[in-house]
Amino acid sequence: MTQTSNNARDPRLPDFIGVGPGRTGTTWLHEVLKGRVNLPAGVKETDFFTTNYSKGIEWYAHHFRDADRVRPIGEVNPYFGFPEAAERIAIHIPRCKIICSFRNPVERIYSAYKLWRHYTLTNDPLDQFLVKVPQVIEVSRYATHLPDYRARFGEERVLVLLNDDLRADQQAYLDRVCDFIGIARYPVPASAAAGELINSINDLPRFPRAARRARKFMYWLEEKQAYATSNFLEQAGAWKLVFGGGPKFPPLDPVIEAHLHELMRPEIDALEQMIGRDLSAWKSPRAKSSPAVPRAAASQGR
């Protein structure tokens, strides 16, 4: 593939990408940006810079075929933690703005596991699952992968957001995004401001066998780019019905939680230094979910 940039003669490509990782508020960000920026036509995540890269840049650009030339073009897709994705984005969109959204890594890991269980992708207990799917931990190594994005795109073109801040003040969180991507600030839509965060996972499928068949059908629709059909089924509540309604997930096992905190502690310590935030709430099991604050403010509060 040849290097591509955003100008009038080239395919329309994103001005910004929210690389995630997943389970950190990426769906919320996609939903609140709808109608304010140009997003991929018909689908939230193209997965181009990871699994669909062999389909070519024209395939990717086709998702932005309806984009106007007034609003920025963007995509929210969890590419974080996949080094090849960062490299490919830099090749094709070297001046792309990057949004990294981070969440307490232990919370994120358990949330990712629940998502896999929700979609019947695994039936393993969490400890066995993490051995079989180590990528779930790898994409939570924020301090390991953030420097790569900063080196490729420049620190001023990489925005770091914390899920703690999203939970504490959605409007301030959205304002930072608007300022970064260069659009006017606007109120958080009521649909996003009320209730639980979008795409939270709380229960297992009521009928696992039916859910497995539905998942295969959902993936088939995506492969055929039958986005309208898949979106219709989602809006009609079909996916929610088939993938939910079963037993509720229990709290994270304290023994596994303690192990994960110990495992991720070096990453959290390193991230604190990189972004200048107090991440104490991430460092121990059962810590209260409180917003991370700038180091200066934390020091003044002692």
Side-chain angles (χ1 to χ4, degrees):
M1 294 184 177
T2 57
Q3 181 167 324
T4 309
S5 59
N6 273 3
N7 62 54
R9 295 169 297 176
D10 287 328
R12 302 299 308 284
L13 297 174
D15 300 292
F16 71 91
I17 298 178
V19 298
R23 315 310 300 164
T24 61
T26 55
T27 299
W28 185 91
L29 182 59
H30 174 88
E31 292 299 318
V32 299
L33 288 175
K34 279 183 177 179
R36 303 288 178 164
V37 301
N38 295 290
L39 295 168
V43 65
K44 172 179 175 281
E45 299 169 4
T46 66
D47 293 331
F48 174 68
F49 293 106
T50 48
T51 56
N52 289 321
Y53 191 62
S54 62
K55 295 182 179 180
I57 196 68
E58 294 296 338
W59 178 90
Y60 183 52
H62 186 67
H63 288 83
F64 308 102
R65 60 193 178 276
D66 298 326
D68 58 53
R69 294 189 177 274
V70 177
R71 299 172 298 173
I73 297 175
E75 180 181 20
V76 182
N77 198 310
Y79 294 124
F80 191 88
F82 296 86
E84 68 276 16
E87 178 181 7
R88 291 164 179 172
I89 296 170
I91 289 172
H92 294 287
I93 325 173
R95 294 190 56 76
C96 189
K97 293 182 178 180
I98 302 295
I99 300 174
C100 300
S101 49
F102 298 151
R103 176 183 181 182
N104 180 323
V106 177
E107 285 186 5
R108 200 213 75 82
I109 289 167
Y110 189 46
S111 180
Y113 170 69
K114 291 194 291 184
L115 183 69
W116 279 62
R117 290 289 306 277
H118 186 73
Y119 285 115
T120 68
L121 291 164
T122 184
N123 198 38
D124 291 324
L126 178 57
D127 54 349
Q128 295 179 23
F129 167 76
L130 293 176
V131 172
K132 293 181 179 180
V133 191
Q135 189 65 34
V136 171
I137 291 178
E138 187 60 32
V139 301
S140 303
R141 298 186 186 279
Y142 311 140
T144 295
H145 298 286
L146 177 59
D148 186 32
Y149 277 99
R150 285 180 163 180
R152 292 182 185 279
F153 299 95
E155 189 167 337
E156 73 284 355
R157 303 185 76 83
V158 178
L159 176 65
V160 174
L161 300 171
L162 299 183
N163 188 262
D164 305 66
D165 296 337
L166 172 57
R167 295 180 181 184
D169 189 337
Q170 293 184 355
Q171 188 61 60
Y173 187 94
L174 178 58
D175 288 347
R176 288 193 66 198
V177 174
C178 291
D179 294 346
F180 181 68
I181 64 178
I183 63 174
R185 294 181 177 185
Y186 59 95
V188 173
S191 58
E196 293 186 73
L197 291 180
I198 297 169
N199 206 26
S200 60
I201 301 295
N202 299 308
D203 51 3
L204 288 160
R206 181 185 294 108
F207 304 111
R209 184 175 299 178
R212 284 192 290 270
R213 289 197 293 267
R215 170 173 50 81
K216 292 177 181 178
F217 179 57
M218 181 174 66
Y219 287 175
W220 181 83
L221 289 173
E222 291 178 0
E223 177 64 26
K224 299 299 181 182
Q225 296 187 46
Y227 302 140
T229 301
S230 184
N231 290 338
F232 171 78
L233 290 170
E234 181 176 5
Q235 292 167 7
W239 298 144
K240 183 177 182 179
L241 177 66
V242 75
F243 292 119
K248 299 292 183 181
F249 282 100
L252 178 57
D253 178 87
V255 174
I256 298 178
E257 183 179 22
H259 168 70
L260 289 174
H261 275 287
E262 182 180 2
L263 178 68
M264 303 309 299
R265 179 62 182 267
E267 287 285 329
I268 297 171
D269 289 341
L271 184 65
E272 276 190 322
Q273 298 300 319
M274 288 182 188
I275 66 174
R277 297 289 299 264
D278 178 5
L279 302 177
S280 299
W282 292 8
K283 293 182 182 182
S284 58
R286 309 299 184 198
K288 293 182 179 180
S289 180
S290 57
V293 297
R295 280 190 177 280
S299 299
Q300 293 169 5
R302 289 181 185 145

